[in-house]
Amino acid sequence: MEIREAIRLIQEKITIWLKHIVALSPNLVVALIVLLLFIFLSRYLEKLASRLIGRTTDNSSLVALLSQVFRMAIILTGMFVALSILGLDKAVTSLLAGAGIIGLALGLAFQDLTTNFLSGTFITIRQPIRVGDVVETNGYFGKVKEINLRSTIIDNFAGQEIEIPSKDILQKPIVNFSKSNERRLQLNGWISYKEDLQKVQDLALQFMTALPFLQEGKNVEFHYQNFGDNGVTFLIWFWIDQSKVGPPMAMSEAVKGIKRIFDEHGVSVPLSVRTVEWKNESVLSLLEKTNAYKNDLNKSNSSA
């Protein structure tokens, strides 16, 4: 009897389900058609979004990622519409609430990853730096080799690659030496107090203005700074064309040329002088004894 009763209850339940399926069959067909339409529409809009995003950035990974996100959003919208047609509004609400909770949990668990991803996206769109730019940021100097969504890779001109998280690139100052393609260098030096300051200035400007790698339209500036311990200090500002020469080579040529023209015209560059005073009596006594020993040794050798 118990088995028969169980079978009867199962049959009744299946009958009820079948009646509901038959009653909902028009809605099922409509929901399926709507979902298929959204899937087809997502493919077309993904290609359109890819072309539009590709006009704003050269980062292929970002273009592909944003296009996929856009497509998935359209498909999810189609799923929610299909569930609403079937009268499963409560299921839609539950799915949205669950998605929100899951998204919050994932955001907290992968906070740094999410921050770097968003920062990389902003860097790619706003383009404060580009591949090939010479930059200084986060205490590192080098050439931008690669910009990813999670990090930026910099070549430090010494054979090493430095990978900096995108959030540090976005949140901290960046010195971009390639943005304007202009670069001013500063050469510091000093001369003896006995020199004619105007003569030295004229000689330095005569040489510096003849350098072949100076940027057109930018003047060379020579300024005296201060009275130093050993002479008068000065600085020279000059702008270089980075398409012709790099900053290290330009500075090297300027230093060699200034030294050469100063030597040719007898301009002296004083040496740094330091006076050391011995205040420790034991040290002074030791030095005196050493000198006395050397004198005695020399006298004995002379008499011999």
Side-chain angles (χ1 to χ4, degrees):
M1 290 293 295
E2 293 181 357
I3 296 176
R4 289 181 180 179
E5 183 66 19
I7 293 174
R8 186 183 65 80
L9 292 175
I10 292 173
Q11 289 176 345
E12 290 179 357
K13 200 67 175 178
I14 292 174
T15 302
I16 294 173
W17 287 350
L18 289 174
K19 289 181 180 180
H20 282 294
I21 292 174
V22 172
L24 290 174
S25 57
N27 291 344
L28 283 173
V29 174
V30 174
L32 182 60
I33 293 174
V34 169
L35 182 59
L36 292 176
L37 286 175
F38 270 88
I39 292 175
F40 175 78
L41 183 64
S42 68
R43 294 179 179 177
Y44 172 75
L45 293 180
E46 179 188 11
K47 296 179 180 178
L48 179 61
S50 178
R51 288 197 296 268
L52 293 177
I53 298 172
R55 295 177 182 177
T56 61
T57 177
D58 297 330
N59 194 320
S60 58
S61 60
L62 178 62
V63 173
L65 179 62
L66 293 180
S67 301
Q68 287 290 333
V69 170
F70 187 66
R71 180 185 178 186
M72 292 303 299
I74 295 175
I75 293 176
L76 287 175
T77 302
M79 291 178 59
F80 292 144
V81 173
L83 290 174
S84 298
I85 293 174
L86 294 175
L88 301 176
D89 297 331
K90 293 182 178 180
V92 174
T93 304
S94 300
L95 285 174
L96 290 175
I101 294 173
I102 293 173
L104 179 61
L106 291 176
L108 293 174
F110 301 98
Q111 184 176 3
D112 289 341
L113 183 62
T114 304
T115 304
N116 284 321
F117 169 76
L118 294 176
S119 299
T121 303
F122 279 115
I123 290 173
T124 305
I125 294 175
R126 293 176 54 191
Q127 294 185 331
I129 57 175
R130 298 184 179 184
V131 174
D133 286 352
V134 177
V135 300
E136 183 177 356
T137 180
N138 292 273
Y140 297 103
F141 174 80
K143 186 176 183 179
V144 179
K145 186 175 181 180
E146 187 176 348
I147 299 176
N148 300 316
L149 295 180
R150 194 189 68 82
S151 62
T152 297
I153 299 176
I154 294 178
D155 181 359
N156 68 350
F157 299 118
Q160 292 82 39
E161 292 183 354
I162 303 167
E163 187 171 1
I164 305 176
S166 296
K167 65 182 181 65
D168 292 336
I169 296 288
L170 188 66
Q171 295 174 359
K172 295 183 179 180
I174 303 173
V175 180
N176 193 331
F177 296 98
S178 302
K179 195 76 171 180
S180 63
N181 202 29
E182 295 183 347
R183 184 74 180 273
R184 190 192 72 180
L185 302 182
Q186 176 174 312
L187 190 156
N188 297 289
W190 68 91
I191 57 174
S192 174
Y193 281 110
K194 67 178 183 179
E195 299 298 336
D196 183 343
L197 300 186
Q198 188 60 49
K199 172 187 174 183
V200 171
Q201 181 174 348
D202 293 340
L203 288 174
L205 289 176
Q206 178 184 353
F207 167 76
M208 293 297 298
T209 53
L211 290 173
F213 48 76
L214 295 181
Q215 185 174 340
E216 296 182 2
K218 299 288 187 178
N219 295 326
V220 178
E221 298 183 37
F222 184 104
H223 301 283
Y224 288 106
Q225 290 180 287
N226 208 342
F227 296 101
D229 295 336
N230 305 304
V232 180
T233 61
F234 66 85
L235 63 83
I236 302 175
W237 286 336
F238 60 103
W239 297 78
I240 64 171
D241 186 346
Q242 296 190 89
S243 64
K244 297 180 180 179
V245 67
M249 181 61 69
M251 181 61 74
S252 176
E253 292 299 317
V255 170
K256 290 191 299 183
I258 291 293
K259 174 65 168 56
R260 183 173 63 253
I261 198 169
F262 280 3
D263 290 343
E264 292 174 355
H265 292 81
V267 177
S268 61
V269 178
L271 299 176
S272 297
V273 178
R274 294 291 184 268
T275 302
V276 179
E277 296 183 1
W278 297 94
K279 295 185 178 296
N280 193 319
E281 296 296 334
S282 62
V283 174
L284 293 175
S285 177
L286 180 60
L287 290 175
E288 291 175 355
K289 291 179 180 180
T290 303
N291 291 330
Y293 174 76
K294 289 182 178 179
N295 292 331
D296 293 341
L297 183 61
N298 291 332
K299 290 179 181 179
S300 62
N301 290 334
S302 299
S303 61

